[in-house]
Amino acid sequence: MSIFPSDSILHRSLVAQRRLRGAAAPEVACNAGFTLVELLVALGLAAIISLCIARVGSQSEAVYVAVTAKVDLYRRMRYALADLHDTIANWLPT
């Protein structure tokens, strides 16, 4: 007795019933699944895409740090300029 579904008694009876009804016999797929080469190519593409995403993420972080530093510097300079303006305004009578 074989382990393949095409040789099983149940499969033969289903095929016989379909033939009686006029339906074509189902074809058993022998090449189901992916080959090792296809899996390796997919894995390589996934690795390349994930490296690109990681690089974009690290560049975004660097830009965020630089912009945050500039914003903090501009905030401090605005405060210093406003304080200087108030100090000079108090020196001169208006």
Side-chain angles (χ1 to χ4, degrees), residues 41-92:
V41 167
L43 183 63
L45 289 175
I48 290 170
I49 290 171
S50 63
L51 286 174
C52 290
I53 290 172
R55 183 169 179 168
V56 167
S58 66
Q59 288 176 347
S60 300
E61 184 181 3
V63 168
Y64 173 77
V65 168
V67 168
T68 304
K70 281 185 181 180
V71 167
D72 188 45
L73 176 68
Y74 292 152
R75 182 183 56 82
R76 289 176 187 218
M77 296 201 54
R78 272 195 309 269
Y79 176 76
L81 186 60
D83 187 45
L84 187 62
H85 179 267
D86 292 341
T87 304
I88 292 175
N90 289 333
W91 285 351
L92 301 174

